[in-house]
């Protein structure tokens, strides 16, 4: 197996490896996992593998999770079909910088995504190194966000397009979660800027060092949150992947964000994703 970096800060492409073998070979899997921790997202092409093999490889990282809105393949629990065609509803969940399912108390550790069908042009995905995004923050901002926590909501994202009753039912099933604005990666110890489009507000901004009088819901807190979320859009922290049939991406959801570019309508784009259960951020 050979790994080639794609940018200075994030991403590497793997060559001469079959993920079917990696699902069975402990040494090969350990090598891939080490590269994932180093590069944060890995890419492969020409992986003509069955859904069962896709699931078997992803499960090497941990148990898989279902998605409460999209659902799973009935024969392969944990494998989500993200199929976009002319009959798909005009939703916009993927074309925003986000870290998957931070509305969970235990967001996913990572994902393994395979391209089933892709447009001739368009439909790329961008990943962002949120370790670098934190590392290059000004020192005074790092000091200000030290200890801050943010609320994350599925109701305010997936639920926003639902009728009120369904939206409330979704929130009852998945109440808002609360996570540190800066989390620590449980394996590498790196500091990660951990807010994205699922974050609605800080829960503990109203402190003497931030608010002397009154209640500062805005502009101070909201402007700071918008600034932090906007760090994901900086190109120096990004890698952009052009999909081809049977190409795959493996990413560490604990330290990255991603953006699926929706510039391909009316073409068809079909992806299959296995999400791996993670741990509570700290």
């Amino acid at each position: 197996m050979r790994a080639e970096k794609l940018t200075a800060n994030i991403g590497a492409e793997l060559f001469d490896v079959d993920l079917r073998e990696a699902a069975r070979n402990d040494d090969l899997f350990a090598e891939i996992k080490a590269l994932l921790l180093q590069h944060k997202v890995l890419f492969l092409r020409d992986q003509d593998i069955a859904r069962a093999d896709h699931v078997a490889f992803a499960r090497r990282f941990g148990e898989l999770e279902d998605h409460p809105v999209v659902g799973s393949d009935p024969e392969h629990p944990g494998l989500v079909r993200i199929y976009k065609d002319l009959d798909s509803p005009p939703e916009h969940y993927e074309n925003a910088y986000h870290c998957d399912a931070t509305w969970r108390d235990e967001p996913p550790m990572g994902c393994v995504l395979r391209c089933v069908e892709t447009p001739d042009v368009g439909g790329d995905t961008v990943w962002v190194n949120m370790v670098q995004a934190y590392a290059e923050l000004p020192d005074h901002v790092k000091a200000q966000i030290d200890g801050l926590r943010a609320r994350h909501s599925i109701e305010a994202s997936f639920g926003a397009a639902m009728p009120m009753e369904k939206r409330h039912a979704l929130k009852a099933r998945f109440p808002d979660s609360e996570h540190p604005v800066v989390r620590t990666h449980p394996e590498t110890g790196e500091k990660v800027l951990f807010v994205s489009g699922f974050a609605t507000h800080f829960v503990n901004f109203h402190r003497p060092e931030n608010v002397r009088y009154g209640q500062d819901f805005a502009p101070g807190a909201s402007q700071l949150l918008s600034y932090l979320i906007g760090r994901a859009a900086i190109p120096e922290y990004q890698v952009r992947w052009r999909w081809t049939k049977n190409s795959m991406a493996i990413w560490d959801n604990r330290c990255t964000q991603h953006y699926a570019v929706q510039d391909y309508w009316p073409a068809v784009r079909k992806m299959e994703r296995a999400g791996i259960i993670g741990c509570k951020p700290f």
Side-chain angles (χ1 to χ4, degrees):
M1 182 175 62
R2 177 168 51 91
E4 290 187 5
K5 291 182 65 172
L6 295 180
T7 75
N9 287 318
I10 180 174
E13 185 172 356
L14 303 185
F15 298 89
D16 304 319
V17 60
D18 188 328
L19 292 189
R20 290 173 295 192
E21 181 184 356
R24 304 186 301 269
N25 185 314
D26 291 344
D27 291 337
L28 180 56
F29 174 76
E31 188 176 354
I32 291 174
K33 184 176 180 181
L35 288 169
L36 179 63
L37 293 176
Q38 177 184 353
H39 297 290
K40 300 179 173 49
V41 56
L42 302 175
F43 302 102
L44 307 91
R45 296 200 186 276
D46 303 319
Q47 298 292 309
D48 187 9
I49 64 177
R51 288 174 178 153
D53 296 318
H54 183 171
V55 167
F57 172 75
R59 193 167 279 131
R60 292 298 304 265
F61 291 96
E63 289 302 312
L64 306 185
E65 65 175 19
D66 288 329
H67 195 285
V69 176
V70 181
S72 293
D73 182 275
E75 296 180 4
H76 303 91
L79 189 69
V80 177
R81 299 185 189 182
I82 308 172
Y83 288 7
K84 300 293 177 65
D85 56 34
L86 297 184
D87 296 323
S88 298
E91 46 81 9
H92 300 281
Y93 298 127
E94 302 168 81
N95 59 332
Y97 291 107
H98 65 284
C99 175
D100 279 337
T102 57
W103 35 264
R104 294 188 187 272
D105 283 338
E106 297 182 345
M109 167 262 156
C111 291
V112 181
L113 183 66
R114 183 171 75 94
C115 177
V116 177
E117 183 178 348
T118 188
D120 292 334
V121 177
D124 299 354
T125 304
V126 177
W127 278 266
V128 191
N129 181 346
M130 299 310 293
V131 172
Q132 199 72 19
Y134 171 76
E136 297 189 2
L137 282 172
D139 288 342
H140 74 276
V141 176
K142 289 181 180 178
Q144 187 177 23
I145 64 178
D146 183 31
L148 274 185
R149 299 180 67 84
R151 186 68 49 83
H152 297 244
S153 173
I154 190 174
E155 180 196 22
S157 49
F158 284 93
M162 296 179 177
M164 184 173 65
E165 294 79 9
K166 288 187 177 181
R167 176 165 52 82
H168 288 175
L170 183 66
K171 184 175 182 179
R173 187 178 167 201
F174 297 97
D176 292 351
S177 63
E178 181 183 311
H179 300 306
V181 170
V182 181
R183 74 174 292 181
T184 301
H185 193 289
E187 295 189 76
T188 67
E190 295 170 308
K191 296 295 183 182
V192 183
L193 183 59
F194 199 62
V195 288
S196 68
F198 291 123
T200 59
H201 63 281
F202 300 127
V203 297
N204 60 335
F205 186 82
H206 193 97
R207 302 183 295 189
E209 59 268 32
N210 293 325
V211 183
R212 293 188 63 191
Y213 304 105
Q215 297 175 337
D216 189 333
F217 295 108
S222 62
Q223 287 179 350
L224 176 59
L225 181 58
S226 295
Y227 165 74
L228 296 174
I229 290 174
R231 301 288 289 178
I234 295 175
E236 283 79 358
Y237 308 149
Q238 299 179 352
V239 61
R240 182 165 177 150
W241 178 248
R242 174 75 185 99
W243 293 103
T244 52
K245 183 178 180 180
N246 291 325
S247 58
M248 298 187 71
I250 309 162
W251 72 90
D252 189 333
N253 194 59
R254 300 164 294 186
C255 58
T256 63
Q257 292 186 30
H258 55 283
Y259 184 122
V261 182
Q262 292 190 4
D263 59 351
Y264 51 87
W265 194 91
V268 173
R269 183 179 185 267
K270 296 182 178 181
M271 315 293 285
E272 296 182 351
R273 186 187 73 191
I276 303 131
I277 293 174
C279 61
K280 191 173 183 63
F282 61 88

